[in-house]
Every structure is written in C-alpha cells, then in structure tokens.
Amino acid sequence: MSSSNTDNTALNKKRSNVWYHYTILQNNIAKCNVCSYKISFSGGSTGNLLRHLKTKHPTVPLQRNVQVNESNSEIIDDPEPSTSMDQNPIRQQSTSVATTSAAFLRPHNKQQSSIANFIHKPIPMSKSKMIDQQLIKMIVKEYHPFSVVEDEEFRKLIKMLCPTYIIPSRKTVTQSLLPQMFDMTLECVKDRLKNVEAVCLTTDGWTSRTNQSFISVTAHFIDPKNDTVVSSVLLGCIEFNEKHTSENLSRFLRNLVEEWNLLYKLTAVVTDNAANIKSAIRNCNWRWLSCFAHSINLIVQSSLKCIDSTLSKVKNIVQYFKKSSHALAKLNDYQKQLGSPILKLKQDCPTRWNSTYDMINRIIAIKDPIIATLAVLGNSELNCLSPQDWVILENARDILKIFYEVTVEISAKKYVTISKEIIFIKTLNKFVFNFNNNNTLPKEINSMCQVLKDELYARFGKYEENPLISQATLLDPRFKKFAFSNENHCKNAVNFLKAKAQSIILESDEPIHQQVATSTSTSNSSSMLWKEFDETVVNLIGGSNSSVAGIIEVEKYLNEPLINRSENPLVWWAERKNVYPRLYRLTKRRLCIMATSVPCERIFSKAGQVVNERRSRLTTSKISQILFLNHNML
C-alpha cells in the first residue's frame, strides 16, 4: 500500500480536531502543517501535538464551530395513542397494552436517534482535508475574498452538497489553511526545480492600487518529466519597499536566486529596457536580454508621433462616445440599420501600443456609422476627420498590423520563442522597407516608415551577433541556418555552437572511449585485419576526444532536413536526445529562454484582480501567497 493511502487510512480513524493541523508521516511521526515541525505521537496520544499548537501557534483555532442541523437532531418518538373513538374494544385494549409495554421497555433518560444520524455520518478526516484544499484553490484561482466562507448562501450550498462538512471560518482559512497550502505548493515547486539543468528568469516591478510596491520573478525551464513544453513557475511576487536602485535590485535578485538554489542553473534574465534593472543584472554577472515585446513597443511608440495630430482626433471621438450614452445609442442604431454587427469603440492605453492598433482598427471598421452619427448629432468640433486623415489611419493600420502579429506570437509562454526573434526582425525590416519606397503614400506615413526603419536597426541591428539568440536559432530544427540574413553572422554562430558542444563532457564519454581503445588494442595484438576499420570507427565517434564528438554532432544535426514550421521543436529534440546528447543538453539551456518578460506582466494582471475593492485590506504577505498559489497550483 502506498504511503498516501496509509496516511488517509490513519486519518480516517482519527477523530480529534488536532489532526486538522497535522500530516501523518511514518513511525508515529506527524508534521505540523503550519511550521512543518515533526513531532512524535507514540501510543496514540495527541498531547504533544496539542501542546505544540498551543505554545507555537496560539492564534490557530483548534476546532471549528459545528452548526447543529435541526433536521439531524430531531427526536422521533412513538406516536401518541389515537384519541379518536375506535368502535372495536378489543383493538383499543391491544393498542393500550402495546403502548404501555413500549413505554415500560424504553429507557427513560435516553432519546431515540433519528435515521438521519445514520445517513449523515461524519466524513473522514482525509475527505475533509480534500474539501479544505479545494476551497483554498477556489479562493485563490477565482479571486474570491476570504469572507466567502461566511456568506450565507455559500454556506447553504455547502450544507446541501455535504451536510457533515464543517465549513472553516475566515480566520481558519487565512491563518491555517492558506499557509498550509502555500507550504505544500512551495515544496512541490522546489522538487520540480531540483532536477532542472537550466533556468531563464523574467522580472518586472508593479505598484498596487494601495501604493504597495512588488517585484515579480518567474522561472522558465524544460522539465525532464515533460520535455515537450517550456514550463514556468512563479518564484515570488514579493513586496519591495526600498528605492529601485541597481544596487538594491541586484541584492534582492541575488538573494532570491540563492534561496531557490538556481545560481549555477541560471542561463539568462529577461527584463524591460529600464537602466536600473539592466545595471542590476550586470552587477550580478548574469546574462541580460531585452524584452522583445517591450522593444517593439518603444519602436512603434516613436513612429506614432508622426501621426499624432490624427490620433488625437480619434481619441477625442472615442472619448466622446464613451461619455455620452445618447451618442452611443445613436451609433448602435446606425450599425443596426447598416446590418453590421454592433461594435464598440476602443480607447488606447499609453503603455501598450497594441491598444493603439486596436483603436485605429475598430474606428476604421465602423467608419460609416461614425461619420453618420457625428453628422446627425451636429458636433462640429468632433466631426473633424478629413478624407486625408482616414487615408493616414488606413495606411497606419496596414503597417502596424504586422507589428501587432509579431507581438502576439512572441508573447507565448509554453512554446519556444527565443529562436523566432531573428526571423521576425528580418521580416519587419523587409516589410517596412517596401512601404518606405512607396511614393504614393502621405508624407506622414513616409515619415512613420522612416522612423520604424531607423529604430529597428538601432534596437535589433546586432541581434544576429548575440550568442544566446543565434545559438537558440541554430538549435531550432525549424530554422537552423536559414533564419540568418548575414552569412558571416551565420558562420560565427555555427563556430560558437561547435565550441559549446566541444566543452560538454558526458558521463558516458570515458567508459565508451576506454572500451573503443581496449577493443582496438586487442585487435591489433591479435591481428591486423581489423586495424583500419577500428581506426575509422574511432575517428567517426571522436575516439577519446569529446571535442571531436561535439563537432560531429553539430555537423550531423545541421545536415538534417528542416521540420515543418508548425511542429514543436521540443518534441523533435525529445525523440533524438540520445542521438545528439551534447546538443540536447545545450538545447535545454537555450530554448528555455523567453523572448519577452510578458509572463511577469501577466502576474501583475492577476495581482490587479487580487487587490480589488473587496480585498484592499490584504497584507502584502497574503497577496504574495495568493499569487504564488494562483500561478503554481495544478
């Protein structure tokens, strides 16, 4: 029988409330769910366990308040004799005798139990713990306040589903169940990271609506147990009250990495382009990569200044329809009359250029209803988009569309993204170049294209020379050499890859080489027949020189045909990890690198839902625990 089944069986026999706070291990040892301290309970006594709770965790409630279900405690007595007149005196006499006998035989000071007491038996302790865990999961995953356990309708629902389950109080949830689940999940995440060879980190900062500052750090890796996807965990979304200087940030990040034992597994750190975080990473002597999506954002924001006057008109129109319900109703009526779906205007966000593209794309989609509505309402101040403005908007949308698509695809979390950067840069440069050579476009659009061209070169001009990005591109069986636009950069990348493969020494290298050398010497001593063949084999597999074997792996890999662009490169490598053992180890260090720091921004999107109006009083430690569980719980 497995240990988990044994624990469940043991818990089913326990009835003391103290077992809500302990997990049975083995040899009469129990672990405290609050502090993980191990205590002996030999002989079945819970005195040690109870004493530990009272002295070390006095605020943790020992038992839950049991609500007596009136339907379960009803006393069903024998019915009173009927007072109606019975015409049969014999029946009356027998009924009276039976009633007297029953009253005489029944104990006087005991009440008869109802059948409900046998149907609604107390649930086992293991089942109660499972429901507790699911309750915590519901709260942290669905962003419910802890006070949900006190909502009357919620309690009624739970009573209908499981009448004998004792719903924990809010204090029990926050001070006992949540920390227990946090500790369990923390151990699970640490176990996952133990066998990982390489980790990429992404980090960013965030300030809550209550003016609390947090720093989020996520880790991305290829899990040996599931090596066909890029796995990710949240190391922490932790309060950071110090000044955001490079020294303070580097100290914070270094302590976190050492706490998780990732110092010798760290392959790169991806952040935005802020000077303080870049300096902090370099102070730690780690390799830093710029967030590709953030760089795209800066490039596009610079180009949008060329059409700023047209965009201001659009923003005013969108704001007008957002504030006036009458104007919005008219706009919807015109969309119905034209037989088109009712679409709402979108306002842009200054920190996200994608929202500017959405705003332009939406106003073009409902151009005719917008013009008709503004004309009927007679708002001359807003009806100011000239035909030239509409031409500028349509061309700007066509240019920005490809940047929008690149941003969406590069922001994936579970798939390889780092190897796509060189291809996307080459595609963007070619697309902008074609637009820039079109003399029929408005001058504003030509200026916009020129800014895009200059910014692309300034930010991405040397990406093919970056060792991490170039090696990751070569190790992607979908692209290899064909992703590069410069032949010299491609050759340099191949040489870097060979040098890396040469430096990798496998555990099985020495025994194999000794075996080959032994077999060769034996054959030489006995006969010269196999000398030439053995020497050829030694040369092909690299002999006792692992660097030669690494070069052979690289050349053999590069000569294989490309796989389909829609296929998963990690699946391809998982199937061939024994064919290219050195390159596979390097692949796990390169393809786990994220192209963007978007995973941290997604954490902050969740944090915004956690720290809402109903949760504005949450402490920073509780916010950190909730976000950790939200991201890492399976």
Side-chain angles (χ1 to χ4, degrees), residues 70-298:
E70 293 181 0
S71 62
N72 292 351
S73 59
E74 284 181 354
I75 307 302
I76 302 178
D77 242 329
D78 289 341
E80 293 292 335
S82 175
T83 56
S84 60
M85 296 297 296
D86 196 320
Q87 301 299 325
N88 192 336
I90 299 177
R91 183 182 302 169
Q92 288 183 1
Q93 184 178 3
S94 61
T95 302
S96 175
V97 172
T99 304
T100 305
S101 301
F104 178 80
L105 294 174
R106 185 169 58 239
H108 290 287
N109 296 327
K110 294 184 180 180
Q111 296 176 333
Q112 182 175 349
S113 300
S114 73
I115 193 171
N117 290 337
F118 296 95
I119 297 176
H120 300 303
K121 294 188 295 185
I123 60 174
M125 188 70 69
S126 58
K127 179 70 176 294
S128 178
K129 283 195 171 186
M130 288 176 60
I131 300 177
D132 288 344
Q133 292 175 2
Q134 184 58 39
L135 176 63
I136 296 298
K137 189 173 183 179
M138 180 199 77
I139 290 174
V140 300
K141 286 281 190 182
E142 305 300 333
Y143 311 105
H144 292 293
F146 293 124
S147 60
V148 69
V149 296
E150 298 176 349
D151 292 346
E152 183 179 355
E153 299 303 324
F154 176 78
R155 299 183 74 89
K156 287 181 180 179
L157 174 65
I158 297 300
K159 279 298 177 185
M160 292 174 66
L161 297 175
C162 187
T164 56
Y165 172 67
I166 304 172
I167 304 173
S169 65
R170 179 166 58 178
K171 186 176 181 180
T172 301
V173 169
T174 57
Q175 297 186 8
S176 178
L177 298 182
L178 183 72
Q180 290 175 26
M181 184 64 70
F182 175 79
D183 291 338
M184 290 171 55
T185 307
L186 184 66
E187 292 300 320
C188 291
V189 173
K190 287 183 177 180
D191 288 340
R192 289 186 68 187
L193 292 174
K194 276 183 182 178
N195 299 323
V196 172
E197 293 186 19
V199 169
C200 166
L201 300 184
T202 68
T203 182
D204 203 353
W206 173 72
T207 302
S208 70
R209 62 187 298 160
T210 56
N211 201 28
Q212 297 167 320
S213 178
F214 292 85
I215 290 182
S216 174
V217 181
T218 61
H220 307 267
F221 53 91
I222 298 177
D223 195 335
K225 296 181 180 179
N226 184 15
D227 54 2
T228 59
V229 296
V230 179
S231 301
S232 67
V233 295
L234 174 64
L235 299 184
C237 185
I238 305 168
E239 184 183 18
F240 188 79
N241 289 326
E242 301 180 37
K243 290 184 178 181
H244 287 210
T245 62
S246 58
E247 292 78 12
N248 292 338
L249 290 172
S250 61
R251 183 170 57 254
F252 170 83
L253 293 173
R254 191 184 295 110
N255 291 338
L256 185 66
V257 169
E258 291 176 353
E259 179 184 345
W260 285 88
N261 296 321
L262 299 176
L263 188 59
Y264 300 104
K265 299 180 180 181
L266 188 57
T267 184
V269 182
V270 183
T271 71
D272 59 23
N273 295 318
N276 57 345
I277 190 65
K278 287 168 60 176
S279 179
I281 301 302
R282 288 165 180 165
N283 289 343
C284 295
N285 294 321
W286 300 334
R287 285 175 287 195
W288 172 81
L289 284 178
S290 170
C291 171
F292 194 85
H294 187 256
S295 297
I296 290 288
N297 179 46
L298 295 176

Side-chain angles (χ1 to χ4, degrees), residues 31-43:
K31 183 181 74 172
C32 175
N33 293 332
V34 181
C35 65
S36 299
Y37 186 75
K38 296 178 182 178
I39 308 172
S40 171
F41 64 98
S42 58

Side-chain angles (χ1 to χ4, degrees), residues 288-388:
W288 172 81
L289 284 178
S290 170
C291 171
F292 194 85
H294 187 256
S295 297
I296 290 288
N297 179 46
L298 295 176
I299 290 171
V300 175
Q301 290 287 2
S302 298
S303 69
L304 291 175
K305 295 177 183 178
C306 299
I307 58 171
D308 191 55
S309 60
T310 302
L311 289 179
S312 297
K313 298 176 184 178
V314 175
K315 292 177 184 179
N316 291 335
I317 292 174
V318 174
Q319 188 175 9
Y320 172 69
F321 282 101
K322 291 287 185 182
K323 289 186 175 181
S324 174
S325 58
H326 174 67
L328 181 60
K330 284 288 185 184
L331 178 62
N332 293 339
D333 290 340
Y334 274 109
Q335 291 185 72
K336 290 180 182 178
Q337 293 176 14
L338 294 174
S340 60
I342 298 178
L343 301 176
K344 293 183 179 180
L345 290 170
K346 295 183 178 181
Q347 186 65 278
D348 72 336
C349 174
T351 59
R352 296 182 58 194
W353 81 264
N354 275 12
S355 61
T356 306
Y357 169 81
D358 289 332
M359 180 183 70
I360 295 173
N361 190 42
R362 179 54 56 86
I363 198 169
I364 292 175
I366 54 177
K367 173 183 176 181
D368 293 336
I370 286 286
I371 294 175
T373 304
L374 291 177
V376 169
L377 294 175
N379 196 324
S380 58
E381 295 180 0
L382 290 176
N383 195 10
C384 54
L385 281 173
S386 64
Q388 182 70 4

